[in-house]
Amino acid sequence: MAFDIIDLHCDTMMGCYFKKVSLREFGGQINIEKLQKGGCMAQALALFLPTDGHLARDGRTPWELYKDMLSCWNKCVDESSDVLRRAYSAEDIKKNAEDGYMSALLTVEDGIGIDGKMERVDEMYEDGVRMLTLTWNWENSLGFPNSADPELHKKGLKPFGIDAVHRMNELGMIVDVSHLSEGGFWDVVRESSKPFAASHSCARALRDHQRNLTDDQLRALADKGGVVGINFCAEFLTDDKDHAFAKDVVRHLVHFRNVAGIDVLAWGSDFDGIAPNQDFKDYAGMPMILDLLSKEFTDDEIDKINHGNFLRVLSEQ
Ligand SMILES: [Zn+2]
């Protein structure tokens, strides 16, 4: 088994945080054993800040929640230090792999905690955050989210959001446009001096959902040297929101390649943030997808999807 897959997004840490369990004990779509079975090289373990009221009702600010979840992240990684190491750069990931360790990447989903304070972007970088999803599905101080309403979907970044993109470029933190409005996406294309990512999105030409990227967006992302991590959410893959099949994941990846070239492809499972209705079940089922992938892609192309493209983006920050 080659340990060569980098997955750009999962919500597993939310599960560990709220259930108060370790990465080993967690019973979701990702845990230590499943990462090992699936062939993990590096896993982006996002701090998803569920701040819309349905989970965080205890009066903490989003920034306080971020700090609490960060403590949990550090504890979880330390508890698994026999097999998992932190990585802050492409070199770290490669070094950890050479030494026989999987890598944990710290990312944050939803810039809501920043709340208009640029010093918090710096602090997040100091905390080890190397990718930030600018918005989730709500407006925040940076910009506006994706919307089924075409007028709302056109809304762009706020002036502070544009400044934050520039600051992230200076620091070396990847700008993540998954969940962002289409207007915000084009602002990032214009304003980002570095390659950026859509960490967990699919192709809108194959499934018309506002969370997915149009062919024009895919080409622009590729032109900037960025990547899109393919999302395993049934609702984003097909019109059948109750079943996700490995063949649909591969179908979207083939579309990405045909439209925007092989250098834009990556993994963005969204495990533990999506309904568990995949025929490949969970991270341990990655070999089933790779099997199908090998019918459509060469070994060199699969290496790029698995880790090459993202390592390039991370090293170019
Ligand atoms: Zn998400």
Side-chain angles (χ1 to χ4, degrees), residues 59-251:
R60 272 175 300 172
T61 64
W63 185 249
E64 287 165 342
L65 180 60
Y66 159 70
K67 286 293 182 180
D68 285 349
M69 292 185 85
L70 176 64
S71 299
C72 174
W73 192 97
N74 280 309
K75 183 166 172 279
C76 281
V77 174
D78 286 339
E79 283 168 347
S80 299
S81 62
D82 55 327
V83 291
L84 185 69
R85 292 269 162 102
R86 290 170 179 75
Y88 304 104
S89 66
E91 282 65 40
D92 288 348
I93 294 174
K94 289 183 216 164
K95 173 79 168 61
N96 287 343
E98 278 165 24
D99 294 345
Y101 293 96
M102 302 186 290
S103 287
L105 284 166
L106 177 59
T107 64
V108 171
E109 182 173 35
D110 198 339
I112 189 169
I114 294 166
D115 197 22
K117 299 176 177 69
M118 196 63 77
E119 63 274 18
R120 290 187 176 175
V121 178
D122 289 47
E123 193 172 334
M124 288 169 92
Y125 184 83
E126 291 300 317
D127 289 337
V129 176
R130 290 297 178 269
M131 180 160 65
L132 170 67
T133 315
L134 297 182
T135 66
W136 192 60
N137 291 338
W138 312 102
E139 177 187 348
N140 64 25
S141 69
L142 303 167
F144 299 88
N146 71 93
S147 173
D149 178 337
E151 284 308 308
L152 294 178
H153 204 40
K154 277 188 201 151
K155 286 190 160 205
L157 291 180
K158 297 178 181 179
F160 176 76
I162 290 174
D163 290 345
V165 166
H166 295 159
R167 186 64 190 144
M168 290 166 71
N169 287 160
E170 286 165 9
L171 290 167
M173 189 190 295
I174 299 172
V175 176
D176 178 11
V177 298
S178 283
H179 287 280
L180 193 60
S181 63
E182 186 171 356
F185 174 94
W186 292 110
D187 283 338
V188 172
V189 170
R190 254 188 311 277
E191 298 293 337
S192 180
S193 61
K194 304 274 180 68
F196 63 96
S199 69
H200 55 303
S201 296
C202 297
R204 190 147 185 180
L206 300 186
R207 164 67 176 130
D208 188 14
H209 189 290
Q210 70 272 8
R211 270 284 281 108
N212 289 342
L213 299 175
T214 66
D215 289 355
D216 281 347
Q217 287 180 299
L218 290 168
R219 280 187 282 265
L221 184 58
D223 285 347
K224 297 286 288 193
V227 284
V228 51
I230 182 75
N231 194 315
F232 297 164
C233 177
E235 200 177 349
F236 303 155
L237 288 168
T238 66
D239 295 331
D240 173 4
K241 64 179 176 37
D242 298 321
H243 301 93
F245 297 104
K247 68 176 170 54
D248 293 317
V249 173
V250 173
R251 194 165 57 92

Side-chain angles (χ1 to χ4, degrees), residues 248-265:
D248 293 317
V249 173
V250 173
R251 194 165 57 92
H252 280 252
L253 287 170
V254 167
H255 182 82
F256 287 167
R257 178 187 60 187
N258 292 347
V259 165
I262 186 66
D263 293 339
V264 82
L265 279 63

